[in-house]
Amino acid sequence: MLMQSARPLGELENTTEFIARHIGIEEADEQHMLSAIGETSRRALIDSIVPRSIARKNPMKLPAAATEAAALAELRRIANRNQVFKSFIGQGYHGTYTPGVILRNVLENPAWYTAYTPYQAEISQGRMEALLNFQTMVCDLTGMPIANASMLDEATAAAEAMTLAKRSVKSKSNTFIVAGDCHPQTIEVVQTRAKPLGIEVVLANSAPEWDRALSGDYFAVLAQYPSTSGRIDDLRADVQKVHAKQAAFIVAADLLAMTLLVPPGEFGADIAVGTTQRFGMPMGAGGPHAAYMACRDELKRSLPGRLVGVSVDTHGNPAYRLALQTREQHIRREKATSNICTAQVLPAVIASMYAVYHGPQGLRRIAQRVASYTAILARGLEQLGYPPRPGGAFDTLSLHTGAETEAIAARARSKHANLRVYFEEYLCISLDETTTRDDIQLLWSLFAKPGHAMPDFAKFEKGIEPLIPAELRRTSDYLTHPVFNTHHSETGMLRYIRALSDKDLALDRSMIPLGSCTMKLNATSEMIPITWPEFAHVHPFAPQDQLQGYAELDEQLRAWLCEATGYAGISLQPNAGSQGEYAGLLAIKAFHESKGQGHRNICLIPSSAHGTNPASAQMVGMQVVVTACDANGNVDLADLQAKCEQHSANLSCVMITYPSTHGVFEMQVKELCALVHKHGGRVYVDGANMNALVGVAAPGEFGGDVSHLNLHKTFCIPHGGGGPGVGPVCVVEDLVPFLPGHNSGGLVGHKVGAVSAAPLGNAAVLPISWMYCRMMGAEGLKQATEVAILSANYISARLRDHYPTLYASANGHVAHECILDLRPMKEASGVTAEDVAKRLIDYGFHAPTLSFPVPGTLMVEPTESETLDELDRFIAAMIAIREEIRRVERGEWPQDDNPLKHAPHTAASLLKGEWPHAYPREVGAAVLDERRHAKYWPPVGRVDNVYGDRNLFCSCVPMSAYE
């Protein structure tokens, strides 16, 4: 037996072990990669790429890296500071049960949470079927003909509905009427959105005010159904009044209630919005939850967000794809109708699976149980001398408690329950799927006077009738499609979920080399805490002393992100990158207004910028002026200077992405910032490419005034098939007072207002980024950045002889991504960048970003998480495809009959009796020997996009529709 010398204890207590698990490149790999690039060390490579003028002088001040076990233990201590009370607050957030088969096999399954947005339809059929189920569920329950594939939250959905109505109706008014009995957070977000657009929001806080408002001039109205205080209003006559004014009627509807109530579509509503949170997604202190938007058919081409449609593939088989306005902000830019380019896909999938699992009868049973408990609660409260306010009820009762209000609320808290104080003299009580008989007894005990006889539950329950007005009870069917009436056993549901996930490519199968999208490891230890009850089951508007764990998490994560970015202050409220952009521009606008310079409204944006940039500028009422880029893709400083001088008096800001959208560190970024500041403008640095900056350079130090971050990119929150995300907005010192926030819930004085429904936005996924930072530490985060840059340069160097990199620095290097130029091949072979993208599917890869930012190119971003083996496998696939293109160029295969033009190849197409193509079947199969056992077979052939838009189906359709 060999004796080993003793090792120092410090080596055995390796606190940096997670860093090596997150970063896929080992030391020996690094030397091989540097040799291919032509550099001697990683330090030399970084110094040759990142301008020395912006390089960080001091390391980030972060806690030292912790092991996975230590970080989880520390986070558990923080989580334990939250108090999980029984919530009767309501206000759009409810207790719910996530069925175990969905919790384990969707929410906790990397096949679902590591998938990307379904822009490549052929490898996204599973999640798009789930989203089509979501759209069908929303259409059926609201009675509307078309719905999108989810929105960020109910409040922002209402704000988007307001702008959808504004551009769609004949009324020329700028007035938007909102019922005062809408959820308060919805009212706040609508007011924030309306102000920069010049829309006047009129709140109608009583029935007389509502009637007076509807007799006036307006372009749309918004009503809650049932209202936030529980009342169920008959809105049918109001809809007729509104339509007579050539205005739109928007209804914020509770989907569970819609199983029992006449849905908005049946009484003439134009738009319906709401949340699907109570369909199996925990409250999570506010998110993530999938909101919905549905509308009349005439509005479908203006509907914001994503829309999944049904088309056919090249073999004539049904296939799903994103339809119509998908990513329209990248095409229409400042003329876009919305800046939203994300959704809440993972929560939407969970909501749709909840409906599939329970089916129409199951949902109705849950709703009837909630409504029956509400009626029993009302009977007992009336017996105790607290009759609920009239107006019917589904799940929420409103009681006038006057001077006793706070005392009763305090008594509830002493028994670990939360009631909602409403307008100081009222208490609201909301029930949900998790309400029990013991809960009803507890609620009665809160109102019982000493010596007062308690109500008898058994006495009330016989023949109890819900408090829903007879004329508003639903009679129409819903969820009649077979998918909602088939998978009700756990075995059936398990197999359905597995069948859908098997159709998709996610990070659990292979590298996803999407440029600008940063598909990096979402470590299991980072994911574990999101389902802890202390994070998952707290209400966003619970008293602050019950949310101390979230407060500590928020404070620590903001401090760490400030260290990473060099900024003075951060808000975590924006729940998407697009919202972060929007909030940042609102802060700039509010700053100028505070200085008496509200006329500054010119936003300079380089032509290479992300499409969300000009769309966001338009949303805050700014005028976009495009500045030129030079031949290398850099901002043309001469043109920028000319535009700054031309618009000096009215210059508000410039929006740049750094490193640039073209994947290059521009050398003169400090000079650019100084130039804009000289003319009184502020500098917005888009944080989409922070994975190339953390620990290496900080936007807040080299001249940026505002940035948003994508925590679902750089800081490891999974993309979840296209959402959830978090888009914190970071600012310098003098902009801190203008960060977004609620003016309720203890947060006061915000000059910008709320941009999301919940104070902490998608709070439940913040532990993921906390864990990532805590386990990586300053050195680990810096190393991740450097290895991401190393990996991108390795791919660029290895593919140089096959696909030239379009943009690079003077020494030939790139940042964390490289744009491969495929345009020269088209003339010689007829092969397009899209053909290469589809052919990569045959080789088992998600395609890189296609034709953005330059048409006819592929933008590749490998991230630091990939191993050298996986990088080499991708490189081998790209080289093999290039050899196939050369065979077309040489005339060995026809331009219209080669493996690229017919990609991707399904197993069924390769097994057909006759093989009509000029290339062999085995070439079509594209099996790499070393991965033969792991071959991915796409479920459909190439999808026909044009057919899908011309024959638009956006809900579940029977197969007979294709016959």
Side-chain angles (χ1 to χ4, degrees), residues 311-356:
S311 185
V312 295
D313 73 357
T314 189
H315 309 295
N317 299 315
Y320 307 111
R321 58 178 285 275
L322 292 180
L324 295 179
Q325 73 286 13
T326 299
R327 297 196 90 186
E328 66 139 20
Q329 75 284 351
H330 284 290
I331 301 167
R332 302 189 68 214
R333 301 174 74 80
E334 70 271 15
K335 295 182 175 64
T337 56
S338 169
N339 74 336
I340 289 180
C341 68
T342 186
Q344 298 280 29
V345 173
L346 189 65
V349 169
I350 290 167
S352 75
M353 292 298 183
Y354 182 93
V356 167

Side-chain angles (χ1 to χ4, degrees), residues 15 62-82 525 528-529 532 534-535 548-550 552-557 560 767 769-777:
T15 60
L62 299 178
T67 64
E68 294 174 69
L72 282 168
E74 187 175 334
L75 188 59
R76 172 62 77 180
R77 179 194 62 76
I78 293 173
N80 287 341
R81 296 190 65 200
N82 289 330
S525 290
I528 285 171
W532 289 350
E534 296 84 358
F535 286 135
Q548 290 305 300
Y550 267 118
E552 183 175 352
L553 176 74
D554 172 66
E555 181 181 5
Q556 288 187 2
L557 186 55
W560 297 346
S769 296
W770 187 97
M771 283 289 293
Y772 175 61
C773 293
R774 189 67 189 87
M775 294 187 294
M776 292 291 278

Side-chain angles (χ1 to χ4, degrees), residues 615-788:
S616 297
Q618 176 270 330
M619 286 175 58
V620 301
M622 291 183 182
Q623 180 183 337
V624 173
V625 174
V626 177
T627 67
C629 290
D630 63 23
N632 295 317
N634 300 320
V635 176
D636 186 328
L637 277 187
D639 186 59
L640 181 71
Q641 180 172 355
K643 297 285 174 53
C644 283
E645 292 172 355
Q646 179 186 351
H647 300 287
S648 184
N650 297 308
L651 180 61
S652 176
C653 61
V654 65
M655 297 185 78
I656 63 169
T657 300
Y658 199 80
S660 75
T661 310
H662 291 152
V664 177
F665 279 92
E666 299 185 34
M667 303 303 291
Q668 295 180 294
V669 66
K670 288 193 74 169
E671 291 80 356
L672 182 154
C673 296
L675 173 62
V676 174
H677 290 153
K678 176 184 175 183
H679 290 273
R682 308 307 294 258
V683 177
Y684 186 103
V685 181
D686 190 313
N689 292 338
M690 272 300 295
N691 212 46
L693 291 179
V694 177
V696 172
E701 293 179 356
F702 63 67
D705 296 298
V706 183
S707 290
H708 85 272
L709 304 177
N710 299 95
L711 297 193
H712 48 288
K713 294 184 181 183
T714 308
F715 293 93
C716 292
I717 291 176
H719 283 69
V726 180
V729 57
C730 322
V731 297
V732 292
E733 188 70 44
D734 63 348
L735 294 178
V736 170
F738 306 101
L739 285 170
H742 281 261
N743 289 318
S744 60
L747 297 171
V748 296
H750 289 273
K751 295 177 182 171
V752 164
V755 296
S756 298
L760 281 180
N762 284 344
V765 292
L766 294 177
I768 301 170
S769 296
W770 187 97
M771 283 289 293
Y772 175 61
C773 293
R774 189 67 189 87
M775 294 187 294
M776 292 291 278
E779 281 304 308
L781 292 175
K782 181 182 179 183
Q783 184 179 339
T785 299
E786 294 181 347
V787 172

Side-chain angles (χ1 to χ4, degrees), residues 384-578:
L384 293 169
Y386 293 92
R389 295 169 72 192
F394 164 63
D395 65 357
T396 300
L397 301 175
S398 179
L399 314 171
H400 184 260
T401 45
E404 298 177 275
T405 301
E406 186 47 48
I408 297 172
R411 192 151 60 241
R413 292 193 294 273
S414 73
K415 297 179 181 293
H416 286 250
N418 288 322
L419 308 182
R420 178 182 170 203
V421 176
Y422 187 60
F423 286 117
E424 297 183 351
E425 292 193 353
Y426 295 87
L427 283 173
C428 290
I429 306 173
S430 291
L431 307 185
D432 56 47
E433 178 186 11
T434 68
T435 301
T436 65
R437 292 172 180 239
D438 287 345
D439 292 332
I440 302 299
Q441 298 284 356
L442 169 65
L443 290 167
W444 283 335
S445 73
L446 301 177
F447 291 86
K449 301 287 194 301
H452 202 296
M454 287 286 287
D456 183 349
F457 193 103
K459 185 176 177 181
F460 294 140
E461 68 178 304
K462 295 178 182 178
I464 189 70
E465 272 289 314
L467 303 178
I468 299 172
E471 67 274 13
L472 291 177
R473 296 188 182 184
R474 182 166 190 159
T475 58
S476 57
D477 292 332
Y478 48 85
L479 303 185
T480 57
H481 191 276
V483 74
F484 298 107
N485 295 277
T486 304
H487 311 292
H488 297 161
S489 72
E490 180 158 340
T491 302
M493 191 67 191
L494 178 68
R495 290 172 181 163
Y496 180 63
I497 293 171
R498 175 61 185 266
L500 294 192
S501 64
D502 277 351
K503 295 179 180 181
D504 288 5
L505 264 181
L507 273 176
D508 65 330
R509 285 184 190 259
S510 72
M511 166 187 182
I512 301 181
L514 284 154
S516 189
C517 298
T518 316
M519 297 294 295
K520 58 200 282 178
L521 171 69
N522 315 121
T524 306
S525 290
E526 295 160 7
M527 299 299 298
I528 285 171
I530 68 170
T531 52
W532 289 350
E534 296 84 358
F535 286 135
H537 298 313
V538 295
H539 196 286
F541 297 110
Q544 291 298 302
D545 61 356
Q546 295 173 25
L547 299 174
Q548 290 305 300
Y550 267 118
E552 183 175 352
L553 176 74
D554 172 66
E555 181 181 5
Q556 288 187 2
L557 186 55
R558 284 189 295 110
W560 297 346
L561 295 176
C562 281
E563 280 295 315
T565 59
Y567 285 110
I570 292 179
S571 168
L572 298 176
Q573 187 182 85
N575 52 19
S578 55

Side-chain angles (χ1 to χ4, degrees), residues 774-825:
R774 189 67 189 87
M775 294 187 294
M776 292 291 278
E779 281 304 308
L781 292 175
K782 181 182 179 183
Q783 184 179 339
T785 299
E786 294 181 347
V787 172
I789 294 172
L790 170 70
S791 297
N793 280 277
Y794 177 68
I795 286 179
S796 177
R798 287 285 314 276
L799 292 177
R800 186 177 298 130
D801 295 337
H802 307 279
Y803 307 91
T805 295
L806 183 57
Y807 297 116
S809 57
N811 57 13
H813 295 330
V814 297
H816 63 311
E817 57 195 8
C818 58
I819 298 176
L820 304 180
D821 191 0
L822 279 65
R823 294 173 298 178
M825 300 176 195

Side-chain angles (χ1 to χ4, degrees), residues 116 260 708 840 860:
Y116 184 62
L260 304 181
H708 85 272
L840 271 168
V860 182

